[in-house]
Amino acid sequence: MKPRCIEHKIPIETIRASLKKTREASKLTQQTVADRLCLRLSTIQKIEKIILRPIFSAFELGYIRSYARLLNLLGEALLSKLNEEI
């Protein structure tokens, strides 16, 4: 059985910066990302502002993975590290 909360191995700043930078380069708003992922705007804002706890829950990791997929970050170390965690 997998633990409910999983400690991440890459700095949260790396996650936040990669997602935010790529979203902005793609000219997407936070609201657009939220709408495409069927998430609340506040969830996207929390991911980008590092309001998440130092330990990610399985749901939070799932949201981050979905966000990374939306931005085509599948090939980057960011997503592969997150996949190792789940």
Side-chain angles (χ1 to χ4, degrees):
M1 182 161 123
K2 293 185 181 184
R4 290 186 157 194
C5 291
I6 303 164
E7 201 169 327
H8 59 82
K9 295 179 182 176
I10 56 177
I12 193 164
E13 181 60 27
T14 302
I15 295 168
R16 184 204 70 79
S18 294
L19 293 172
K20 184 176 181 178
K21 181 179 177 181
T22 305
R23 176 185 60 76
E24 289 173 344
S26 300
K27 304 221 187 293
L28 296 172
T29 65
Q30 289 178 331
Q31 184 63 59
T32 301
V33 170
D35 291 345
R36 288 185 184 175
L37 296 177
C38 298
L39 296 173
R40 292 181 177 172
L41 174 60
S42 62
T43 301
I44 301 305
Q45 291 169 334
K46 287 177 185 178
I47 290 170
E48 290 191 1
K49 290 185 180 181
I50 321 174
I51 297 174
L52 299 174
R53 297 175 305 283
I55 297 176
F56 293 130
S57 70
F59 285 112
E60 290 165 337
L61 283 172
Y63 297 156
I64 293 168
R65 283 190 339 186
S66 295
Y67 192 173
R69 280 192 189 111
L70 176 71
L71 299 176
N72 296 316
L73 294 176
L74 288 171
E76 293 196 17
L78 167 78
L79 193 59
S80 65
K81 287 286 187 188
L82 287 174
N83 284 332
E84 289 173 12
E85 293 296 318
I86 292 183

